[in-house]
Amino acid sequence: MSSQPLSAHNFKQLFHSVEAFLFDCDGVIWKGDELIEGVSQTLQMLRSNGKKLVFVTNNSSKSRAQYALKFQSLGIPVSQDEIFSSSFAAAMYLKVNNFPPQNKVYVIGGEGILEELQLAGFTGVGGPGDANKTIDFKQNKFFEHDKSVGAVVVGLDPNINYYKLQYGTLCIRENPGCLFIATNRDSVGNMTSLQEWPGAGCMVAAICGSTQKEPIVVGKPSTFMMDFLLKKFNVSCSKMCMVGDRLDTDILFGQNAGCKTLLVFSGVTTQSALEDPSNNIQPDYYTSKISDILDLTEA
């Protein structure tokens, strides 16, 4: 089935059939620390029409509490309960799979993952604290690592280094049963408003290369976060619409769960990429940015 451009006619149908709108953040709500034009008014309009809003982000650099503060700083009132980040998903994956609390979790990633692990009752090690550590390649050097690490979580890490790669690799290869969890595999992301930067996918790929193992992915397009979301909001997937800027994460996530899907061109994906014959992921609808919804409501 091919995608339809969002129009006054089909948006009316979509609007009345949907109880909850799920939004990606980077490239949809903001780019870096800049709000995308018209976002605030659009979210306000949806709330005033009784729609539930949920923010589902693969960016693991912040915890839900830190994301709530970011929304607030941009003038958008969003509660922590409406935010589902891949940092939270990583902690929840360990919780629902009865990860032994006495085992540690080695983090290649940011403060957000460490904070969510702590809230879930787990001990995270590594993260930003290992940013400046180096390895001494002297002859017969033996690299010590903690044998009580039972999981390695890899997310976006602007301070990735050889020390972290070696530590994570040893834990996965040498600690019996050690889990390898990826917050997401996004290749690039809108870290600033001006250009795309390498995403968590390249950090995950480095560990895949050294361990020869594939990770458990907890962020989009995996439906792991959706299971939590459904319990919390009590809305069926058929009455949800996933709005995102990436085909291989946001739109696939919505489709895997049975949601309606809307692609916006304000982030990573262009219209020519959507229409490229090699692309086999087709959203239900597409439009340039989420504030187009406002114009269509008033049309």
Side-chain angles (χ1 to χ4, degrees):
M1 190 195 83
S2 63
S3 308
Q4 299 177 46
L6 203 60
S7 65
H9 173 67
N10 61 28
F11 177 65
K12 200 172 183 182
Q13 286 178 315
L14 177 68
F15 193 75
H16 292 303
S17 67
V18 166
E19 288 178 20
F21 283 87
L22 318 182
F23 291 98
D24 176 44
C25 294
D26 293 309
V28 177
I29 303 295
W30 54 61
K31 276 187 168 188
D33 289 324
E34 282 183 31
L35 203 58
I36 292 169
E37 186 196 353
V39 163
S40 188
Q41 300 89 316
T42 307
L43 299 181
Q44 212 173 327
M45 180 276 287
L46 292 172
R47 283 196 195 279
S48 65
N49 278 278
K51 305 298 180 187
K52 290 186 169 110
L53 304 185
V54 185
F55 300 90
V56 188
T57 176
N58 265 1
N59 190 330
S60 63
S61 59
K62 290 180 172 64
S63 63
R64 289 163 302 151
Q66 289 168 327
Y67 271 116
L69 288 172
K70 178 167 180 172
F71 274 104
Q72 207 178 326
S73 73
L74 293 168
I76 301 176
V78 170
S79 78
Q80 193 175 306
D81 286 349
E82 295 172 312
I83 300 165
F84 287 77
S85 59
S86 61
S87 51
F88 171 65
M92 288 303 101
Y93 181 86
L94 294 173
K95 201 163 182 105
V96 299
N97 287 287
N98 302 313
F99 183 75
Q102 67 273 19
N103 285 4
K104 294 183 189 127
V105 182
Y106 186 72
V107 174
I108 298 175
E111 205 55 58
I113 300 171
L114 290 170
E115 194 174 305
E116 291 293 357
L117 287 171
Q118 190 183 354
L119 287 170
F122 301 117
T123 304
V125 294
D130 284 356
N132 299 316
K133 291 188 180 173
T134 55
I135 288 182
D136 182 358
F137 286 104
K138 282 182 183 153
Q139 198 176 2
N140 301 328
K141 169 75 179 171
F142 186 81
F143 188 100
E144 295 285 352
H145 75 283
D146 192 329
K147 304 292 189 297
S148 69
V149 170
V152 174
V153 176
V154 185
L156 182 68
D157 192 339
N159 298 305
I160 188 92
N161 60 29
Y162 200 83
Y163 179 94
K164 295 180 186 186
L165 295 176
Q166 168 68 333
Y167 206 107
T169 299
L170 285 175
C171 291
I172 293 166
R173 290 180 61 158
E174 296 186 7
N175 291 5
C178 183
L179 300 171
F180 171 20
I181 297 170
T183 59
N184 65 296
R185 297 188 88 161
D186 295 28
S187 53
V188 292
N190 295 104
M191 309 311 164
T192 69
S193 59
L194 299 175
Q195 60 191 165
E196 289 166 10
W197 296 62
C202 65
M203 288 102 202
V204 174
I207 297 292
C208 290
S210 59
T211 60
Q212 297 295 288
K213 290 192 172 177
E214 284 297 302
I216 298 154
V217 182
V218 293
K220 298 171 289 185
S222 155
T223 53
F224 179 73
M225 276 201 276
M226 184 61 82
D227 300 336
F228 274 87
L229 214 143
L230 292 172
K231 282 179 202 158
K232 193 168 191 72
F233 291 98
N234 198 20
V235 176
S236 74
C237 289
S238 61
K239 293 193 172 172
M240 291 181 180
C241 178
M242 178 68 214
V243 185
D245 69 317
R246 297 183 69 101
L247 292 164
D248 59 348
T249 55
D250 305 324
I251 301 306
L252 202 53
F253 173 73
Q255 289 177 346
N256 287 346
C259 302
K260 296 174 174 72
T261 53
L262 169 62
L263 177 74
V264 290
F265 298 129
S266 51
V268 169
T269 307
T270 59
Q271 188 159 354
S272 57
L274 171 66
E275 291 166 355
D276 191 297
S278 66
N279 167 45
N280 57 7
I281 303 168
Q282 292 290 328
D284 296 316
Y285 308 99
Y286 63 85
T287 194
S288 64
K289 56 189 183 303
I290 67 167
S291 58
D292 294 344
I293 291 173
L294 267 186
D295 303 334
L296 294 173
T297 314
E298 289 156 10

mmCIF file of all heavy atoms in Angstrom, residues 93-128:
data_model
loop_
_atom_site.group_PDB
_atom_site.id
_atom_site.type_symbol
_atom_site.label_atom_id
_atom_site.label_comp_id
_atom_site.label_asym_id
_atom_site.label_seq_id
_atom_site.Cartn_x
_atom_site.Cartn_y
_atom_site.Cartn_z
ATOM 1 N N TYR A 93 13.634 -3.521 30.665
ATOM 2 C CA TYR A 93 13.911 -4.847 30.105
ATOM 3 C C TYR A 93 14.560 -5.723 31.176
ATOM 4 O O TYR A 93 14.197 -6.890 31.359
ATOM 5 C CB TYR A 93 14.827 -4.752 28.875
ATOM 6 C CG TYR A 93 15.091 -6.114 28.271
ATOM 7 C CD1 TYR A 93 14.214 -6.653 27.341
ATOM 8 C CD2 TYR A 93 16.178 -6.890 28.688
ATOM 9 C CE1 TYR A 93 14.422 -7.925 26.826
ATOM 10 C CE2 TYR A 93 16.392 -8.157 28.178
ATOM 11 C CZ TYR A 93 15.508 -8.674 27.250
ATOM 12 O OH TYR A 93 15.701 -9.947 26.760
ATOM 13 N N LEU A 94 15.531 -5.147 31.890
ATOM 14 C CA LEU A 94 16.210 -5.904 32.953
ATOM 15 C C LEU A 94 15.222 -6.269 34.065
ATOM 16 O O LEU A 94 15.240 -7.384 34.576
ATOM 17 C CB LEU A 94 17.372 -5.082 33.517
ATOM 18 C CG LEU A 94 18.529 -4.821 32.534
ATOM 19 C CD1 LEU A 94 19.532 -3.851 33.136
ATOM 20 C CD2 LEU A 94 19.229 -6.130 32.147
ATOM 21 N N LYS A 95 14.344 -5.327 34.390
ATOM 22 C CA LYS A 95 13.387 -5.542 35.486
ATOM 23 C C LYS A 95 12.407 -6.672 35.156
ATOM 24 O O LYS A 95 12.201 -7.577 35.951
ATOM 25 C CB LYS A 95 12.633 -4.247 35.763
ATOM 26 C CG LYS A 95 12.023 -4.206 37.139
ATOM 27 C CD LYS A 95 11.643 -2.804 37.564
ATOM 28 C CE LYS A 95 11.085 -2.827 38.961
ATOM 29 N NZ LYS A 95 11.998 -2.319 39.962
ATOM 30 N N VAL A 96 11.798 -6.606 33.964
ATOM 31 C CA VAL A 96 10.789 -7.621 33.627
ATOM 32 C C VAL A 96 11.422 -8.996 33.392
ATOM 33 O O VAL A 96 10.742 -10.014 33.497
ATOM 34 C CB VAL A 96 9.902 -7.232 32.413
ATOM 35 C CG1 VAL A 96 9.139 -5.962 32.685
ATOM 36 C CG2 VAL A 96 10.681 -7.135 31.134
ATOM 37 N N ASN A 97 12.728 -9.017 33.089
ATOM 38 C CA ASN A 97 13.404 -10.299 32.892
ATOM 39 C C ASN A 97 14.168 -10.763 34.142
ATOM 40 O O ASN A 97 15.039 -11.634 34.055
ATOM 41 C CB ASN A 97 14.323 -10.237 31.678
ATOM 42 C CG ASN A 97 13.519 -10.238 30.387
ATOM 43 O OD1 ASN A 97 12.972 -11.252 29.993
ATOM 44 N ND2 ASN A 97 13.408 -9.078 29.750
ATOM 45 N N ASN A 98 13.783 -10.169 35.279
ATOM 46 C CA ASN A 98 14.320 -10.574 36.587
ATOM 47 C C ASN A 98 15.842 -10.608 36.643
ATOM 48 O O ASN A 98 16.448 -11.574 37.126
ATOM 49 C CB ASN A 98 13.756 -11.944 37.006
ATOM 50 C CG ASN A 98 12.242 -11.917 37.072
ATOM 51 O OD1 ASN A 98 11.662 -10.999 37.646
ATOM 52 N ND2 ASN A 98 11.592 -12.894 36.466
ATOM 53 N N PHE A 99 16.452 -9.539 36.144
ATOM 54 C CA PHE A 99 17.910 -9.415 36.212
ATOM 55 C C PHE A 99 18.327 -9.364 37.680
ATOM 56 O O PHE A 99 17.757 -8.588 38.458
ATOM 57 C CB PHE A 99 18.334 -8.128 35.490
ATOM 58 C CG PHE A 99 19.819 -7.917 35.420
ATOM 59 C CD1 PHE A 99 20.603 -8.652 34.542
ATOM 60 C CD2 PHE A 99 20.439 -6.959 36.216
ATOM 61 C CE1 PHE A 99 21.979 -8.448 34.453
ATOM 62 C CE2 PHE A 99 21.807 -6.745 36.139
ATOM 63 C CZ PHE A 99 22.583 -7.495 35.257
ATOM 64 N N PRO A 100 19.293 -10.192 38.112
ATOM 65 C CA PRO A 100 19.664 -10.220 39.537
ATOM 66 C C PRO A 100 20.190 -8.850 40.007
ATOM 67 O O PRO A 100 21.155 -8.344 39.432
ATOM 68 C CB PRO A 100 20.777 -11.275 39.604
ATOM 69 C CG PRO A 100 20.661 -12.060 38.334
ATOM 70 C CD PRO A 100 20.093 -11.125 37.314
ATOM 71 N N PRO A 101 19.566 -8.239 41.007
ATOM 72 C CA PRO A 101 19.972 -6.897 41.437
ATOM 73 C C PRO A 101 21.405 -6.820 41.965
ATOM 74 O O PRO A 101 21.990 -5.745 41.997
ATOM 75 C CB PRO A 101 18.959 -6.524 42.514
ATOM 76 C CG PRO A 101 18.243 -7.770 42.867
ATOM 77 C CD PRO A 101 18.407 -8.740 41.749
ATOM 78 N N GLN A 102 21.981 -7.974 42.336
ATOM 79 C CA GLN A 102 23.368 -7.947 42.822
ATOM 80 C C GLN A 102 24.367 -7.842 41.656
ATOM 81 O O GLN A 102 25.535 -7.510 41.855
ATOM 82 C CB GLN A 102 23.688 -9.174 43.694
ATOM 83 C CG GLN A 102 23.710 -10.509 42.982
ATOM 84 C CD GLN A 102 22.331 -11.175 42.906
ATOM 85 O OE1 GLN A 102 21.310 -10.514 43.074
ATOM 86 N NE2 GLN A 102 22.314 -12.480 42.653
ATOM 87 N N ASN A 103 23.908 -8.113 40.443
ATOM 88 C CA ASN A 103 24.781 -7.985 39.267
ATOM 89 C C ASN A 103 24.856 -6.524 38.822
ATOM 90 O O ASN A 103 23.886 -5.790 38.948
ATOM 91 C CB ASN A 103 24.259 -8.828 38.093
ATOM 92 C CG ASN A 103 24.520 -10.305 38.299
ATOM 93 O OD1 ASN A 103 25.019 -10.708 39.338
ATOM 94 N ND2 ASN A 103 24.171 -11.123 37.325
ATOM 95 N N LYS A 104 25.993 -6.131 38.280
ATOM 96 C CA LYS A 104 26.153 -4.752 37.809
ATOM 97 C C LYS A 104 25.849 -4.657 36.319
ATOM 98 O O LYS A 104 25.819 -5.669 35.607
ATOM 99 C CB LYS A 104 27.575 -4.260 38.086
ATOM 100 C CG LYS A 104 27.889 -4.127 39.562
ATOM 101 C CD LYS A 104 29.290 -3.560 39.766
ATOM 102 C CE LYS A 104 29.672 -3.651 41.246
ATOM 103 N NZ LYS A 104 30.943 -4.320 41.429
ATOM 104 N N VAL A 105 25.632 -3.422 35.867
ATOM 105 C CA VAL A 105 25.367 -3.162 34.447
ATOM 106 C C VAL A 105 26.434 -2.190 33.946
ATOM 107 O O VAL A 105 26.567 -1.082 34.491
ATOM 108 C CB VAL A 105 23.967 -2.532 34.244
ATOM 109 C CG1 VAL A 105 23.692 -2.318 32.759
ATOM 110 C CG2 VAL A 105 22.876 -3.396 34.884
ATOM 111 N N TYR A 106 27.208 -2.610 32.948
ATOM 112 C CA TYR A 106 28.213 -1.702 32.383
ATOM 113 C C TYR A 106 27.562 -0.884 31.276
ATOM 114 O O TYR A 106 26.921 -1.431 30.379
ATOM 115 C CB TYR A 106 29.429 -2.455 31.830
ATOM 116 C CG TYR A 106 30.512 -1.491 31.378
ATOM 117 C CD1 TYR A 106 31.253 -0.781 32.321
ATOM 118 C CD2 TYR A 106 30.757 -1.235 30.032
ATOM 119 C CE1 TYR A 106 32.222 0.143 31.934
ATOM 120 C CE2 TYR A 106 31.724 -0.322 29.638
ATOM 121 C CZ TYR A 106 32.451 0.369 30.598
ATOM 122 O OH TYR A 106 33.389 1.297 30.211
ATOM 123 N N VAL A 107 27.710 0.442 31.363
ATOM 124 C CA VAL A 107 27.034 1.357 30.433
ATOM 125 C C VAL A 107 28.029 2.028 29.480
ATOM 126 O O VAL A 107 28.987 2.659 29.918
ATOM 127 C CB VAL A 107 26.246 2.436 31.218
ATOM 128 C CG1 VAL A 107 25.662 3.486 30.272
ATOM 129 C CG2 VAL A 107 25.137 1.792 32.049
ATOM 130 N N ILE A 108 27.789 1.845 28.193
ATOM 131 C CA ILE A 108 28.466 2.654 27.171
ATOM 132 C C ILE A 108 27.374 3.602 26.690
ATOM 133 O O ILE A 108 26.503 3.229 25.903
ATOM 134 C CB ILE A 108 29.013 1.777 26.014
ATOM 135 C CG1 ILE A 108 30.065 0.793 26.553
ATOM 136 C CG2 ILE A 108 29.607 2.657 24.917
ATOM 137 C CD1 ILE A 108 30.579 -0.207 25.535
ATOM 138 N N GLY A 109 27.369 4.802 27.254
ATOM 139 C CA GLY A 109 26.277 5.729 26.983
ATOM 140 C C GLY A 109 26.274 6.855 28.001
ATOM 141 O O GLY A 109 27.262 7.062 28.709
ATOM 142 N N GLY A 110 25.139 7.536 28.097
ATOM 143 C CA GLY A 110 25.063 8.744 28.909
ATOM 144 C C GLY A 110 24.444 8.567 30.279
ATOM 145 O O GLY A 110 24.060 7.470 30.702
ATOM 146 N N GLU A 111 24.318 9.697 30.947
ATOM 147 C CA GLU A 111 23.777 9.788 32.302
ATOM 148 C C GLU A 111 22.343 9.268 32.377
ATOM 149 O O GLU A 111 21.918 8.724 33.392
ATOM 150 C CB GLU A 111 23.822 11.274 32.730
ATOM 151 C CG GLU A 111 23.876 11.508 34.222
ATOM 152 C CD GLU A 111 25.025 10.803 34.929
ATOM 153 O OE1 GLU A 111 26.199 11.033 34.590
ATOM 154 O OE2 GLU A 111 24.716 10.003 35.827
ATOM 155 N N GLY A 112 21.593 9.443 31.271
ATOM 156 C CA GLY A 112 20.183 9.021 31.258
ATOM 157 C C GLY A 112 20.017 7.541 31.555
ATOM 158 O O GLY A 112 19.110 7.138 32.294
ATOM 159 N N ILE A 113 20.916 6.718 30.996
ATOM 160 C CA ILE A 113 20.823 5.264 31.226
ATOM 161 C C ILE A 113 21.137 4.954 32.688
ATOM 162 O O ILE A 113 20.422 4.181 33.341
ATOM 163 C CB ILE A 113 21.786 4.495 30.288
ATOM 164 C CG1 ILE A 113 21.450 4.779 28.824
ATOM 165 C CG2 ILE A 113 21.728 2.997 30.571
ATOM 166 C CD1 ILE A 113 22.467 4.237 27.819
ATOM 167 N N LEU A 114 22.199 5.570 33.221
ATOM 168 C CA LEU A 114 22.578 5.333 34.628
ATOM 169 C C LEU A 114 21.448 5.727 35.579
ATOM 170 O O LEU A 114 21.152 5.012 36.542
ATOM 171 C CB LEU A 114 23.848 6.121 34.972
ATOM 172 C CG LEU A 114 25.149 5.622 34.324
ATOM 173 C CD1 LEU A 114 26.268 6.623 34.553
ATOM 174 C CD2 LEU A 114 25.553 4.251 34.857
ATOM 175 N N GLU A 115 20.794 6.850 35.277
ATOM 176 C CA GLU A 115 19.708 7.330 36.144
ATOM 177 C C GLU A 115 18.511 6.381 36.130
ATOM 178 O O GLU A 115 17.944 6.052 37.178
ATOM 179 C CB GLU A 115 19.271 8.730 35.687
ATOM 180 C CG GLU A 115 18.412 9.443 36.714
ATOM 181 C CD GLU A 115 18.108 10.889 36.330
ATOM 182 O OE1 GLU A 115 19.066 11.661 36.083
ATOM 183 O OE2 GLU A 115 16.924 11.238 36.275
ATOM 184 N N GLU A 116 18.142 5.903 34.935
ATOM 185 C CA GLU A 116 16.995 4.972 34.840
ATOM 186 C C GLU A 116 17.321 3.618 35.485
ATOM 187 O O GLU A 116 16.459 3.002 36.108
ATOM 188 C CB GLU A 116 16.574 4.779 33.378
ATOM 189 C CG GLU A 116 15.944 6.010 32.745
ATOM 190 C CD GLU A 116 14.579 6.410 33.320
ATOM 191 O OE1 GLU A 116 14.049 5.695 34.200
ATOM 192 O OE2 GLU A 116 14.050 7.447 32.880
ATOM 193 N N LEU A 117 18.579 3.172 35.368
ATOM 194 C CA LEU A 117 18.984 1.912 36.026
ATOM 195 C C LEU A 117 18.863 2.041 37.537
ATOM 196 O O LEU A 117 18.338 1.156 38.218
ATOM 197 C CB LEU A 117 20.433 1.561 35.647
ATOM 198 C CG LEU A 117 20.676 1.052 34.231
ATOM 199 C CD1 LEU A 117 22.178 0.968 33.949
ATOM 200 C CD2 LEU A 117 20.015 -0.315 34.001
ATOM 201 N N GLN A 118 19.322 3.182 38.048
ATOM 202 C CA GLN A 118 19.265 3.416 39.502
ATOM 203 C C GLN A 118 17.819 3.429 39.999
ATOM 204 O O GLN A 118 17.491 2.822 41.017
ATOM 205 C CB GLN A 118 19.951 4.746 39.818
ATOM 206 C CG GLN A 118 20.161 4.959 41.307
ATOM 207 C CD GLN A 118 20.780 6.326 41.611
ATOM 208 O OE1 GLN A 118 21.148 7.075 40.712
ATOM 209 N NE2 GLN A 118 20.887 6.649 42.879
ATOM 210 N N LEU A 119 16.940 4.109 39.255
ATOM 211 C CA LEU A 119 15.518 4.169 39.631
ATOM 212 C C LEU A 119 14.881 2.777 39.637
ATOM 213 O O LEU A 119 13.972 2.505 40.403
ATOM 214 C CB LEU A 119 14.745 5.076 38.666
ATOM 215 C CG LEU A 119 14.985 6.584 38.816
ATOM 216 C CD1 LEU A 119 14.369 7.341 37.654
ATOM 217 C CD2 LEU A 119 14.418 7.093 40.141
ATOM 218 N N ALA A 120 15.383 1.900 38.759
ATOM 219 C CA ALA A 120 14.845 0.533 38.671
ATOM 220 C C ALA A 120 15.500 -0.406 39.687
ATOM 221 O O ALA A 120 15.160 -1.580 39.764
ATOM 222 C CB ALA A 120 15.032 -0.002 37.260
ATOM 223 N N GLY A 121 16.459 0.119 40.461
ATOM 224 C CA GLY A 121 17.089 -0.688 41.506
ATOM 225 C C GLY A 121 18.351 -1.410 41.094
ATOM 226 O O GLY A 121 18.772 -2.369 41.751
ATOM 227 N N PHE A 122 18.970 -0.982 39.997
ATOM 228 C CA PHE A 122 20.188 -1.645 39.523
ATOM 229 C C PHE A 122 21.410 -0.741 39.670
ATOM 230 O O PHE A 122 21.289 0.479 39.736
ATOM 231 C CB PHE A 122 20.035 -2.060 38.050
ATOM 232 C CG PHE A 122 18.881 -2.986 37.799
ATOM 233 C CD1 PHE A 122 17.822 -2.601 36.981
ATOM 234 C CD2 PHE A 122 18.832 -4.234 38.406
ATOM 235 C CE1 PHE A 122 16.745 -3.451 36.764
ATOM 236 C CE2 PHE A 122 17.760 -5.093 38.199
ATOM 237 C CZ PHE A 122 16.710 -4.698 37.372
ATOM 238 N N THR A 123 22.585 -1.363 39.715
ATOM 239 C CA THR A 123 23.840 -0.620 39.831
ATOM 240 C C THR A 123 24.487 -0.492 38.463
ATOM 241 O O THR A 123 24.941 -1.485 37.885
ATOM 242 C CB THR A 123 24.813 -1.345 40.795
ATOM 243 O OG1 THR A 123 24.156 -1.524 42.049
ATOM 244 C CG2 THR A 123 26.092 -0.549 40.984
ATOM 245 N N GLY A 124 24.513 0.721 37.962
ATOM 246 C CA GLY A 124 25.169 0.977 36.682
ATOM 247 C C GLY A 124 26.591 1.449 36.912
ATOM 248 O O GLY A 124 26.857 2.226 37.828
ATOM 249 N N VAL A 125 27.513 0.979 36.098
ATOM 250 C CA VAL A 125 28.910 1.429 36.178
ATOM 251 C C VAL A 125 29.347 1.864 34.780
ATOM 252 O O VAL A 125 28.698 1.555 33.784
ATOM 253 C CB VAL A 125 29.852 0.325 36.725
ATOM 254 C CG1 VAL A 125 29.530 0.013 38.174
ATOM 255 C CG2 VAL A 125 29.765 -0.957 35.880
ATOM 256 N N GLY A 126 30.437 2.585 34.698
ATOM 257 C CA GLY A 126 30.910 3.074 33.399
ATOM 258 C C GLY A 126 30.241 4.391 33.052
ATOM 259 O O GLY A 126 30.165 5.289 33.879
ATOM 260 N N GLY A 127 29.720 4.497 31.833
ATOM 261 C CA GLY A 127 29.067 5.728 31.399
ATOM 262 C C GLY A 127 30.044 6.891 31.307
ATOM 263 O O GLY A 127 31.240 6.697 31.034
ATOM 264 N N PRO A 128 29.562 8.127 31.570
ATOM 265 C CA PRO A 128 30.430 9.300 31.446
ATOM 266 C C PRO A 128 31.680 9.234 32.326
ATOM 267 O O PRO A 128 32.694 9.854 32.008
ATOM 268 C CB PRO A 128 29.517 10.457 31.876
ATOM 269 C CG PRO A 128 28.134 9.962 31.625
ATOM 270 C CD PRO A 128 28.178 8.503 31.907
#
